[in-house]
Amino acid sequence: MDPTTDNAGQSGDAGTARTALEALRAEIAKAVVGQDPAVTGLVVALLCRGHVLLEGVPGVAKTLLVRALASALELDTKRVQFTPDLMPSDITGSLVYDTRTAEFSFQPGPVFTNLLLADEINRTPPKTQSSLLEAMEERQVTVDGTPRPLPEPFLVAATQNPVEYEGTYPLPEAQLDRFLLKLTIPLPSRQDEIHVLTRHASGFDPRDLRAAGVRPVAGPADLEAARAAVAKTTVSPEITAYVVDICRATRESPSLTLGVSPRGATALLATSRAWAWLTGRDYVIPDDVKALALPTLRHRVQLRPEAEMEGVTADSVINAILTHVPVPR
C-alpha cells in the first residue's frame, strides 16, 4: 500500500487524510505488535460508520489495540466490562434526582464516547446486550422518551472469547448482523512474541501509551475528509453484481442454514469501497471485494450442525464461494 498515492480527480484533503490514516499503522505498532489486519479493519469500520466484533483468546492485546487506535486518532474512548449483573442503564446512562434543584437530570453512561470497548459482550444477558442496538444503529440513546445523540465519530468495538462458552450469552443473529466486521485476533508469531517480551523487558507499560511514544497522527477532520472521498469511489455495475452473486451463493450453500442478508451485501460493498480508497484507488476492483469478504461476512452466516461436526468453518465456506463465483473482467 502506498499512502502517498492520490488519484487524479481526488482532492488534496482526501490525499492528506489517506496519508494520515496510513500513518496509524506505524503509530499503533509502537504499542501493539503484528496486528496490522485488525488495525486496517478498525479504520475501514470508522470510514464506513460501522462497528467491529473482535474475537480472540485472552491476552492478545484486543483492549490495547482499541486504546492505541483512540490515542493515535485523538478520540475519546471508554471501556465497559460486560458481566452477568450489568444493567442497560450502566451503559446508556440514567436519570438522577438532584436534591439541590429538586429535579431529575440525565447522567450520561459510558456509551457517550467515540470508541466504546464492550469487553466480553457475550458475558452479559440479552437485555443488556440489546441496550447497544439503538446506539449502534441510530447513533443515539433514548432515556425516558428523550433521544440523545451520541458523539461523532462513534464506534463500538466488542470483544468475545472464542474458546470459553460457559456462563456466556451468545449474541443473536440479528445483533451480529449489526456489526460491520468480525475480526479475528490471532496469537502472535514466534518472532512477534519475542518482540513483545523484549519490549516489556525494556520497560514498556501498556497502561501508559504516551510513554510508549504513541502520538495523534490523524483526527476527526481526517476521518470526515476520508469518508467524503470513500463516498465518491466508483462501483461499476459488474462489481455490484459480483457482490450480490457472492451473497446469494451463501444462501444456497448446503453447509449453511443461514446465508448473508441484503444488509450484509450492502456492508460488503461499503467495506470494499473503503478498502479501495485506502489502497489508493477511486474505483473498486474484484480483489477489494475478496479482501473484505471474510471479515464482513463470516459472522452473518450460520453453519449446519452436521457441517460443523465435520470441521467445516464459516471462513472455509466463504472461501469456497469466492473460488466458484465468476469474477467480472
Side-chain angles (χ1 to χ4, degrees):
M1 236 191 270
D2 181 4
T4 62
T5 303
D6 193 18
N7 291 303
Q10 291 193 347
S11 69
D13 285 347
T16 302
R18 185 192 293 116
T19 303
L21 293 177
E22 279 292 328
L24 284 174
R25 290 189 178 199
E27 203 63 25
I28 293 173
K30 295 176 181 178
V32 182
V33 177
Q35 297 293 358
D36 277 358
V39 174
T40 301
L42 285 165
V43 173
V44 166
L46 282 168
L47 293 179
C48 298
R49 295 169 60 88
H51 308 284
V52 175
L53 188 62
L54 300 170
E55 188 170 271
V57 298
V60 289
K62 298 186 293 294
T63 301
L64 181 60
L65 175 63
V66 174
R67 287 181 54 239
L69 177 69
S71 182
L73 281 172
E74 210 167 9
L75 298 176
D76 182 51
T77 183
K78 290 185 175 69
R79 176 189 178 197
V80 179
Q81 184 67 47
F82 278 64
T83 55
D85 60 348
L86 195 72
M87 299 296 291
S89 59
D90 294 329
I91 301 169
T92 60
S94 58
L95 293 175
V96 178
Y97 184 72
D98 190 336
T99 55
R100 291 174 299 176
T101 61
E103 293 180 351
F104 284 94
S105 61
F106 179 65
Q107 184 66 37
V111 75
F112 286 85
T113 186
N114 297 124
L115 268 67
L116 176 67
L117 178 61
D119 217 353
E120 294 191 288
I121 191 173
N122 57 338
R123 290 206 171 276
T124 202
K127 182 178 180 180
T128 305
Q129 291 176 1
S130 64
S131 67
L132 279 175
L133 280 176
E134 182 187 14
M136 292 169 65
E137 194 67 20
E138 308 297 334
R139 298 179 182 274
Q140 67 178 25
V141 167
T142 302
V143 177
D144 196 36
T146 303
R148 294 174 170 85
L150 294 171
E152 185 62 38
F154 173 69
L155 178 143
V156 174
T159 72
Q160 62 180 15
N161 185 336
V163 294
E164 189 181 358
Y165 293 106
E166 187 177 345
T168 63
Y169 304 85
L171 291 172
E173 297 302 325
Q175 187 155 6
L176 281 173
D177 204 34
R178 305 285 178 176
F179 285 96
L180 181 72
L181 299 172
K182 179 181 178 181
L183 304 175
T184 55
I185 311 296
L187 288 166
S189 66
R190 179 177 182 273
Q191 195 56 45
D192 283 343
E193 195 163 359
I194 289 173
H195 192 181
V196 170
L197 267 63
T198 302
R199 282 186 175 185
H200 279 265
S202 302
F204 171 70
D205 182 359
R207 298 169 190 82
D208 189 354
L209 294 178
R210 290 293 180 187
V214 179
R215 298 287 184 270
V217 293
D222 295 306
L223 283 175
E224 281 304 312
R227 285 172 175 176
V230 169
K232 296 175 184 175
T233 303
T234 304
V235 182
S236 69
E238 292 78 14
I239 292 294
T240 303
Y242 182 52
V243 170
V244 169
D245 289 344
I246 290 171
C247 294
R248 291 182 68 85
T250 65
R251 302 168 202 163
E252 300 165 1
S253 171
S255 299
L256 302 176
T257 58
L258 180 69
V260 176
S261 70
R263 182 191 287 129
T266 303
L268 181 55
L269 186 63
T271 56
S272 300
R273 292 176 84 183
W275 176 244
W277 180 81
L278 277 172
T279 52
R281 278 178 282 100
D282 58 2
Y283 57 91
V284 180
I285 62 175
D287 282 350
D288 300 324
V289 179
K290 291 180 179 180
L292 272 297
L294 285 180
T296 308
L297 304 181
R298 58 163 60 107
H299 57 297
R300 304 176 193 271
V301 300
Q302 193 172 69
L303 288 167
R304 292 188 181 278
E306 55 270 29
E308 207 164 359
M309 290 175 62
E310 292 171 2
V312 176
T313 64
D315 283 13
S316 65
V317 173
I318 294 169
N319 278 325
I321 287 171
L322 291 174
T323 302
H324 290 99
V325 172
V327 179
R329 300 296 177 190

